[in-house]
Amino acid sequence: MAITYRTHMSIIGDILSTTRDEIPDESGASVTYLIRKANVSYARLSKILETLVSQGLLEQTSSERACKYRISERGREFLQAYRGFREFADSFGLRI
Amino acid sequence: MEFITFAESALNLLGFVVGLILGIFAYIGFRNTGSPTLFRLNISFFSISIGFGVVGFGYMLESFVLGYVKIDTWIQTLGIGIQTVGYFFIAFSHGIKSFFPKSRYFKSIVAPLFIIPANSIEHIIRSISFILLVYGTIETIMSYMENRNRNTIFVAAGLGLLALGEFLGWYSIVFPKSVLYFVSVSTKIVGLGALFVPISQVPLRGGPRFGNNI
């Protein structure tokens, strides 16, 4: 079976989905949790998180030990749009 | 203006509108997500739309405004050429890996498409469009085998009908004065219509803009 690589956009989709649907507690998801759930390296995840926070898609919350991330309202809207257009691209046999 | 010319113009203008709506939809997707795939689909559908528009408006202009009895063939060639750019971007999005398989049987089908119409630019362009569309159809069917997404079947059927339409248009070289061209454009319009099905599944909301910053 051929290996299928995720696009940059689908990794962002996975991170946002994790922070929306699978956060362990109200304060958000930790970097370690996101690395495990979204299956990306620490270096790559750090860059993406920085971008998502600067774009207002994720909210950074500080807890006792480390930074945690939670999806923002803007992030929810983006995720909804992303899922809709992913479905559209899927219909063409393509990935966004 | 002959009825058949009028009907062909109307069908081409319909293709212009359908392609334009698909292009706008892909553009909204690109604007909202910054996805390069949606950008390529956007270019593709705008090219297809402009191609249909050039033929449709060109026919109308020459018949109504300039009063020509015989329509210039360069309009048709230009329109088909622009459409081919659109078909190329659909095929390109799938990634052109092995365009010509080693199978001798396949080559025997493909080669005549280039050799027979060598005296006409329009027919060379049509044969290229046909190959690109067949490639896109095959890739889409293969994607359906993987994801079993019902919409993918409509897209595959749409691309297949566009390919059939191009083939019939190219084949009209054999029967130049027949209704074959009319049937060809009608088939292509139905094909474009089938590409509409996935759009009905996506809620069209304004949403935030992110562009290429993501």
Side-chain angles (χ1 to χ4, degrees):
Chain A
M1 191 176 167
I3 299 166
T4 53
Y5 294 98
R6 286 184 300 168
T7 60
H8 181 67
M9 191 61 64
S10 63
I11 291 171
I12 287 172
D14 287 346
I15 292 169
L16 289 176
S17 297
T18 304
T19 54
R20 192 186 74 167
D21 305 326
E22 300 173 47
I23 48 170
D25 57 71
E26 281 299 305
S27 60
S30 66
V31 172
T32 314
Y33 185 79
L34 286 172
I35 286 172
R36 201 170 66 243
K37 286 284 181 182
N39 197 23
V40 277
S41 68
Y42 175 77
R44 188 159 192 193
L45 182 71
S46 299
K47 282 183 188 168
I48 294 172
L49 287 176
E50 197 179 312
T51 311
L52 294 180
V53 171
S54 68
Q55 290 289 315
L57 303 184
L58 283 182
E59 288 167 357
Q60 197 171 357
T61 56
S62 298
S63 67
E64 290 170 7
R65 290 183 186 176
C67 283
K68 290 195 171 184
Y69 296 90
R70 211 167 43 189
I71 193 166
S72 65
E73 194 51 46
R74 203 169 144 84
R76 285 176 194 275
E77 285 176 20
F78 175 82
L79 191 59
Q80 196 181 355
Y82 161 74
R83 285 182 172 173
F85 288 106
R86 185 185 61 185
E87 187 75 18
F88 175 67
D90 276 352
S91 303
F92 282 81
L94 301 169
R95 280 192 225 127
I96 65 168
Chain B
M1 186 184 196
E2 285 179 42
F3 170 74
I4 196 87
T5 311
F6 175 77
E8 284 170 7
S9 302
L11 283 171
N12 276 298
L13 291 177
L14 183 63
F16 167 73
V17 173
V18 172
L20 191 65
I21 295 170
L22 283 163
I24 289 169
F25 184 81
Y27 173 72
I28 292 170
F30 165 67
R31 197 190 59 180
N32 284 352
T33 63
S35 160
T37 305
L38 291 172
F39 179 65
R40 283 192 292 271
L41 283 179
N42 162 37
I43 294 175
S44 167
F45 287 123
F46 277 143
S47 295
I48 293 169
S49 172
I50 292 166
F52 273 109
V54 164
V55 180
F57 287 117
Y59 275 24
M60 288 282 184
L61 184 77
E62 290 212 330
S63 297
F64 287 126
V65 181
L66 302 174
Y68 288 6
V69 178
K70 194 174 180 297
I71 307 298
D72 283 333
T73 50
W74 68 264
I75 292 177
Q76 175 83 353
T77 307
L78 180 66
I80 297 293
I82 297 169
Q83 283 180 46
T84 304
V85 174
Y87 302 141
F88 167 76
F89 275 100
I90 290 179
F92 181 65
S93 290
H94 282 289
I96 301 169
K97 297 167 208 158
S98 50
F99 204 78
F100 294 105
K102 288 178 182 171
S103 160
R104 277 167 51 198
Y105 178 71
F106 188 81
K107 275 183 181 170
S108 69
I109 294 170
V110 172
L113 293 174
F114 287 97
I115 295 164
I116 293 169
N119 58 344
S120 163
I121 295 169
E122 180 192 326
H123 295 294
I124 292 170
I125 294 170
R126 278 193 188 280
S127 62
I128 294 169
S129 286
F130 175 73
I131 291 166
L132 292 171
L133 284 164
V134 167
Y135 176 77
T137 307
I138 292 167
E139 283 287 345
T140 311
I141 290 170
M142 285 171 74
S143 297
Y144 172 74
M145 300 293 189
E146 286 171 16
N147 63 24
R148 297 283 166 188
N149 183 346
R150 202 162 53 92
N151 288 336
T152 310
I153 280 293
F154 285 101
V155 172
L159 292 175
L161 285 169
L162 281 168
L164 179 64
E166 277 310 335
F167 180 77
L168 290 173
W170 168 74
Y171 203 68
S172 65
I173 192 173
V174 184
F175 306 104
K177 296 285 179 186
S178 68
V179 291
L180 216 52
Y181 178 71
F182 179 79
V183 176
S184 155
V185 179
S186 305
T187 310
K188 285 167 76 176
I189 301 299
V190 175
L192 269 182
L195 301 185
F196 250 101
V197 175
I199 291 183
S200 62
Q201 314 290 319
V202 183
L204 268 177
R205 296 171 66 248
R209 292 182 190 184
F210 300 95
N212 291 318
N213 296 326
I214 295 296

